[in-house]
Amino acid sequence: MLVAALVFALQFKPVQTYVAKKAAKYLSEELHTTITIKSLFIKPFKSVVLEGLYIEDLSKDTLLYSPKLSIDLNTLSIKNRKISVSTTEMNDGVFYLKDLKDTTTNLDFIINYFDTGKPKPKVKSTKKPYYITFDHIILNNFKFRYKNFRVDTTVNGINYDDISLRKLNVHLSDLNTKEHLVKAKIEKLSFKEKSGFYLQNLTALATIDTNQMEVKNLQLVAPQTHLTHYVK
């Protein structure tokens, strides 16, 4: 009876948010950082909406901020070990990635926490891995920054060791990571970089593998530039 009542209560947004906030507080203490969540609402087998996710790195800089992350599902099958995501969309988010002088990144403390570091004996699994697919991934008005603290260079134009993008928008579809490292259709990619470079629009079908990269149907538009090309 108690279990049934608990399962019933977990269907409601206030209860889900309460549990999510408790989990965020626990991880904050474990990771010695700040993680907060404003709200969480899960419709079982249908959708997930996470609002106000904020994560700091160990320097107390913003690592990730997402005012709203929405995930809509096509299929969630535990029996067939298949997850099909219709749309993942993030609006007005911020992500700041750092390569630190000690050869680590500001993400490593999170990765290391979930990695015990103890090699597990190789056991042949009888279960097939989960097959996860994404139909659409959408970023709207995103901010991305990357800084390599191992070098200190000043260049004219885009400095690839110190990138800052704002108003980043992109629509990725037909994502394939089963037969390639990454294959996706890129639409409406645009951003402004702090150097002054403005990418107004990029559309392409991109395939990235370990030994090559192929770009088909490329359409690139920037001020005074319009490229149409095939790259391999």
Side-chain angles (χ1 to χ4, degrees):
M1 191 72 177
L2 180 60
V3 173
L6 181 60
V7 172
F8 178 76
L10 283 171
Q11 298 181 50
F12 297 96
K13 182 177 178 179
V15 179
Q16 293 175 359
T17 298
Y18 174 80
V19 173
K21 287 184 175 182
K22 285 291 186 181
K25 183 179 179 182
Y26 172 79
L27 285 174
S28 295
E29 294 172 352
E30 286 285 296
L31 293 168
H32 308 290
T33 190
T34 299
I35 301 175
T36 59
I37 293 173
K38 182 179 179 182
S39 70
L40 173 67
F41 183 46
I42 301 173
K43 288 184 180 179
F45 308 104
K46 291 184 179 180
S47 65
V48 177
V49 178
L50 179 61
E51 294 182 318
L53 172 63
Y54 175 74
I55 303 174
E56 285 185 354
D57 65 18
L58 295 179
S59 299
K60 299 191 179 299
D61 284 328
T62 299
L63 175 60
L64 174 68
Y65 173 61
S66 173
K68 185 175 182 180
L69 172 64
S70 304
I71 301 173
D72 293 322
L73 298 176
N74 288 321
T75 306
L76 175 58
S77 175
I78 305 299
K79 180 180 178 180
N80 296 320
R81 303 179 74 80
K82 181 179 179 181
I83 301 174
S84 175
V85 180
S86 171
T87 304
T88 300
E89 184 170 358
M90 185 183 292
N91 299 319
D92 304 310
V94 177
F95 183 62
Y96 183 13
L97 178 64
K98 304 175 186 174
D99 272 328
L100 305 174
K101 291 183 177 180
D102 62 2
T103 72
T104 66
T105 75
N106 61 333
L107 266 176
D108 285 355
F109 77 106
I110 295 177
I111 296 171
N112 293 338
Y113 175 79
F114 291 100
D115 181 4
T116 61
K118 298 177 181 179
K120 297 179 180 179
K122 293 183 179 180
V123 178
K124 189 174 181 180
S125 176
T126 57
K127 295 181 180 179
K128 64 179 182 180
Y130 272 93
Y131 180 50
I132 304 174
T133 61
F134 294 85
D135 292 343
H136 304 275
I137 298 176
I138 302 170
L139 297 179
N140 296 312
N141 197 33
F142 199 77
K143 292 181 180 179
F144 171 77
R145 187 178 178 195
Y146 166 73
K147 174 70 174 177
N148 184 356
F149 286 89
R150 301 168 199 168
V151 297
D152 185 13
T153 57
T154 302
V155 300
N156 293 323
I158 298 177
N159 183 349
Y160 292 99
D161 288 312
D162 188 5
I163 295 173
S164 181
L165 308 181
R166 61 188 179 89
K167 295 187 177 180
L168 171 61
N169 303 283
V170 68
H171 179 183
L172 303 177
S173 59
D174 302 328
L175 193 68
N176 181 347
T177 57
K178 185 177 182 180
E179 299 167 326
H180 305 275
L181 283 180
V182 179
K183 181 179 180 180
K185 183 179 181 181
I186 305 170
E187 297 177 282
K188 301 177 182 178
L189 172 60
S190 62
F191 60 78
K192 292 184 177 181
E193 211 277 329
K194 66 182 178 68
S195 64
F197 177 74
Y198 176 27
L199 178 63
Q200 294 173 302
N201 183 50
L202 185 147
T203 299
L205 177 60
T207 304
I208 301 174
D209 287 308
T210 54
N211 59 346
Q212 69 174 5
M213 180 177 73
E214 183 180 50
V215 179
K216 297 180 179 178
N217 305 326
L218 175 64
Q219 297 280 341
L220 186 153
V221 181
Q224 301 179 343
T225 304
H226 188 170
L227 296 179
T228 302
H229 203 47
Y230 170 83
V231 179
K232 186 172 181 179

